[in-house]
Amino acid sequence: MDPVGVAAAPDAGPGPAWQSKCPWGAPKTASISCSLADVMSEQLAKELQLEEENAAFPEVVAVAEGPFITGENADTSSDLMLAQMLQMEFDREYDAQLRREEKKFNGDSKVSISFENYRKVHPFDSDSSEDEVDWQDTRHDPYRADKPTVTPRKGFIGKGKDITTKHDEVVCGRKNTARMENFAPEFQVGDGIGMDLKLSNQVFNALKQHAYSEERRSARLHEKKEHSTAEKAVDPKTRLLLYKMVSNGTLETITGCISTGKESVVFHAYGGKSATEDDKVIPPECAIKVFKTTLNEFKNRDKYIKDDYRFKDRFSKLNPRKIIRMWAEKEMHNLTRMQNAGIPCPQVVILKKHILVMSFIGQDQVPAPKLKDVKLNSEDMKKAYYQVLNMMQRLYKECNLVHADLSEYNMLWHDGKVWLIDVSQSVEPTHPHGLEFLFRDCRNVSQFFQKGGVAEALNERELFNAVSGLNITAENEVDFLAEIEALEKMNEDHVQNHGKKVSTFSSDGDPPIYNE
Ligand code: ADP
Ligand code: MN
């Protein structure tokens, strides 16, 4: 056994003899005061590793799991936010500097070198660029090249010595260039498409390969983000927007989640002290409805917005992110109409992108119960029925709206009355399916109150006529619905022929407004 090894153990007095002979002098770490047992301990090794990891990745782990911005953990949360904001700012500045350098480097030269690969923000990561530059918005697509000449099936064009086959280098090269169009829109192909550029098959195939792998990479990144939205309630971008609302005094604290639905997440918050941009006082308690940026859920709602003439012109040109913002915008407009008509509903506080802040229906963080969850005595039940009937009529007549998702799930019982919520999908009665939506609403309401023991409750067909002022006489549901669809079709034809919608459906007079 080597005696030096034993002597090197701590508490062995002055350094061993070999140290003085060592040409590099005594190692500094020789005086570590821990026993051999400590050094051998697995526990210590683990602790050291943890320490090291924490130093290398501070807080990163906490980001993913981190709870929401609340009073108790405001410190860590806001530090984190600040760090994220700073990093974002830093990356953007870095890229801006890079662009300046790139410009300087290239000058007026016809051939330019791209610094794109050195950018911090991967083009598919950059949300901001997605917001500002919306390729779908451009009416004229500058990247659209003329169609390549098609080679007929016989495989050649021309005659005699002017014959060109599909294997012709020039034709092939041009075709390849034009095919770059099919790459993902974010893929940078320069202005090659516009020029008379001839790409060899080899170059084209290499580019194609790269374009596809970039597309897959982008899809993966996107999926990751989407998942975080679904799992952790909000994505980093939403967090930042919410954080800004807290830091600028619109909100005091965001206390927690009230509801996670398929299409939205609702949070409770205490209102801040500063007034909104348009000088409205912020209610003491607020509900924040965050429209989910997960697109799948919205696909089947297309029909509500696509056919809504108010949004018609805008729909086709929008990217999915903007469509989601439009749902939030729609809910805001509809709530404002209802507010103006005096229908009990949340009051709009502020709209920021896909986040709608409104007054909270409930008290001390406890949301008012839905009609389906509350046990009303027969007197209150009857009162609620007449109120709902009255609200449906005013919604139709004064707000020119059909709720389109009205049921005991979207009516809250608070302060001895019914409040209507969830109106992002509400449409005007002249919407191509507006009357069908109204009929569905009527069926839900009628069934709920009839089952709830309200003897006076009209059946769905009577309710439909009472709300719309129409006088459809069909005795059964099938015929009734057929008449509704015929009316809708008539209206659509009118729109087609006259280029504008009719203001209301002709009726035999205004519906009688019911008051309790
Ligand atoms: P969803 O589309 O997910 O159904 P809602 O607007 O119906 O969205 O909101 C979901 C739930 O959140 C509601 O059922 C209600 O319990 C609660 N909620 C929404 N808005 C408010 C509000 N302003 N005040 C109190 N609770 C609300
Ligand atoms: Mn709802």
Side-chain angles (χ1 to χ4, degrees):
M1 200 185 196
D2 179 5
V4 173
V6 178
D11 301 328
W18 61 268
Q19 274 183 4
S20 53
K21 281 182 220 134
C22 175
W24 299 284
K28 282 210 174 75
T29 49
S31 60
I32 285 182
S33 61
C34 66
S35 69
L36 184 63
D38 274 351
V39 176
M40 301 301 287
S41 138
E42 233 175 87
Q43 178 64 29
L44 183 74
K46 265 192 200 146
E47 276 170 20
L48 282 175
Q49 171 156 7
L50 259 180
E51 226 167 79
E52 224 167 78
E53 276 172 2
N54 283 346
F57 314 103
E59 286 274 15
V60 172
V61 191
V63 181
E65 318 288 290
F68 212 67
I69 311 165
T70 64
E72 309 100 276
N73 55 24
D75 279 348
T76 53
S77 192
S78 45
D79 280 353
L80 177 66
M81 281 303 167
L82 276 175
Q84 284 178 333
M85 280 158 84
L86 279 172
Q87 185 64 45
M88 243 152 105
E89 207 45 51
F90 173 80
D91 288 348
R92 248 185 241 131
E93 253 169 51
Y94 176 89
D95 286 351
Q97 175 64 20
L98 199 68
R99 261 195 299 277
R100 281 194 291 275
E101 274 172 33
E102 185 184 74
K103 215 170 158 200
K104 203 168 131 202
F105 185 88
N106 289 319
D108 293 333
S109 163
K110 284 222 171 92
V111 180
S112 61
I113 305 283
S114 167
F115 287 13
E116 197 61 38
N117 288 346
Y118 297 98
R119 282 172 50 147
K120 286 263 183 200
V121 192
H122 187 277
F124 298 129
D125 281 345
S126 153
D127 275 344
S128 52
S129 68
E130 202 178 313
D131 286 347
E132 263 102 66
V133 190
D134 187 357
W135 65 274
Q136 287 178 320
D137 273 353
T138 42
R139 222 153 290 196
H140 172 71
D141 189 346
Y143 293 115
R144 193 161 291 277
D146 295 337
K147 284 256 170 342
T149 32
V150 271
T151 320
R153 282 191 93 159
K154 58 186 179 193
F156 61 90
I157 32 174
K159 270 188 206 154
K161 67 177 171 55
D162 293 329
I163 200 162
T164 35
T165 71
K166 63 181 173 187
H167 302 296
D168 182 87
E169 213 179 305
V170 175
V171 173
C172 220
R174 282 196 185 127
K175 255 192 206 163
N176 283 342
T177 306
R179 275 191 204 134
M180 290 201 300
E181 246 195 307
N182 299 333
F183 295 166
E186 303 90 329
F187 188 74
Q188 308 270 338
V189 290
D191 36 16
I193 290 174
M195 297 194 277
D196 190 22
L197 195 69
K198 291 142 211 124
L199 283 184
S200 76
N201 285 348
Q202 201 187 355
V203 172
F204 174 75
N205 285 335
L207 262 174
K208 189 169 90 177
Q209 206 56 49
H210 182 61
Y212 289 167
S213 63
E214 278 292 87
E215 218 175 319
R216 278 199 299 275
R217 181 181 132 77
S218 140
R220 267 203 309 278
L221 272 170
H222 198 66
E223 208 175 322
K224 231 160 98 184
K225 268 195 212 162
E226 301 292 65
H227 268 265
S228 71
T229 314
E231 304 289 326
K232 304 287 189 303
V234 288
D235 56 303
K237 218 179 167 205
T238 308
R239 272 168 166 260
L240 269 182
L241 284 170
L242 290 174
Y243 174 68
K244 278 185 198 160
M245 287 185 196
V246 175
S247 68
N248 71 15
T250 308
L251 300 175
E252 179 72 40
T253 40
I254 299 169
T255 61
C257 180
I258 308 170
S259 142
T260 39
K262 270 198 309 212
E263 292 142 355
S264 71
V265 186
V266 182
F267 298 99
H268 171 274
Y270 284 107
K273 294 195 177 44
S274 69
T276 57
E277 283 150 12
D278 48 350
D279 271 348
K280 262 188 289 183
V281 181
I282 295 161
E285 289 186 77
C286 296
I288 308 169
K289 187 164 176 177
V290 177
F291 287 77
K292 275 198 190 168
T293 46
T294 315
L295 306 169
N296 304 349
E297 319 291 351
F298 280 91
K299 286 222 179 85
N300 54 5
R301 295 181 108 200
D302 274 7
K303 67 170 186 285
Y304 290 97
I305 213 162
K306 235 188 204 146
D307 297 333
D308 190 329
Y309 81 95
R310 292 180 293 168
F311 296 87
K312 214 170 198 147
D313 291 341
R314 294 165 58 193
F315 189 83
S316 59
K317 287 177 235 134
L318 293 173
N319 67 21
R321 190 184 291 275
K322 291 199 176 158
I323 290 173
I324 289 172
R325 276 189 218 159
M326 217 144 82
W327 285 108
E329 198 186 312
K330 216 161 167 271
E331 174 129 36
M332 176 191 71
H333 286 310
N334 292 341
L335 281 176
T336 310
R337 281 194 198 182
M338 291 160 71
Q339 196 77 39
N340 290 340
I343 294 172
C345 68
Q347 178 203 333
V348 173
V349 176
I350 200 169
L351 172 77
K352 283 270 184 247
K353 302 202 171 176
H354 58 294
I355 303 174
L356 180 67
V357 182
M358 55 191 146
S359 64
F360 180 72
I361 313 301
Q363 213 186 346
D364 298 330
Q365 298 186 38
V366 183
K370 301 179 183 75
L371 267 196
K372 83 165 179 66
D373 292 325
V374 73
K375 260 258 128 311
L376 296 181
N377 60 34
S378 60
E379 195 191 325
D380 276 344
M381 198 68 173
K382 190 170 147 186
K383 193 173 134 190
Y385 167 72
Y386 277 110
Q387 198 207 326
V388 170
L389 172 54
N390 176 271
M391 286 195 294
M392 285 178 85
Q393 291 177 324
R394 291 212 324 258
L395 192 64
Y396 189 93
K397 199 162 174 288
E398 292 169 37
C399 308
N400 197 30
L401 284 176
V402 169
H403 187 290
D405 193 15
L406 192 63
S407 73
E408 56 276 28
Y409 289 80
N410 283 328
M411 296 191 267
L412 305 183
W413 181 255
H414 177 65
D415 253 1
K417 60 181 170 192
V418 181
W419 298 65
L420 298 188
I421 61 162
D422 202 0
V423 290
S424 63
Q425 73 294 316
S426 302
V427 295
E428 300 201 340
T430 49
H431 180 287
H433 303 287
L435 294 184
E436 289 163 76
F437 296 151
L438 177 63
F439 186 68
R440 202 175 55 191
D441 285 356
C442 288
R443 185 161 45 203
N444 292 338
V445 168
S446 171
Q447 278 175 5
F448 175 76
F449 285 105
Q450 281 180 345
K451 276 189 194 144
V454 180
E456 295 86 345
L458 298 174
N459 73 33
E460 60 216 35
R461 294 183 303 267
E462 293 162 341
L463 184 58
F464 179 93
N465 283 338
V467 170
S468 65
L470 294 167
N471 192 15
I472 300 180
T473 47
E475 286 294 321
N476 61 67
E477 182 172 327
V478 176
D479 294 345
F480 201 91
L481 260 171
E483 277 198 46
I484 285 178
E485 279 166 31
L487 273 175
E488 287 175 340
K489 180 147 192 326
M490 242 164 62
N491 184 52
E492 265 308 275
D493 291 345
H494 183 92
V495 176
Q496 296 291 326
N497 296 336
H498 297 81
K500 63 178 197 305
K501 65 173 195 113
V502 286
S503 56
T504 47
F505 287 98
S506 52
S507 66
D508 302 341
D510 287 339
I513 297 278
Y514 283 76
N515 282 308
E516 304 105 83

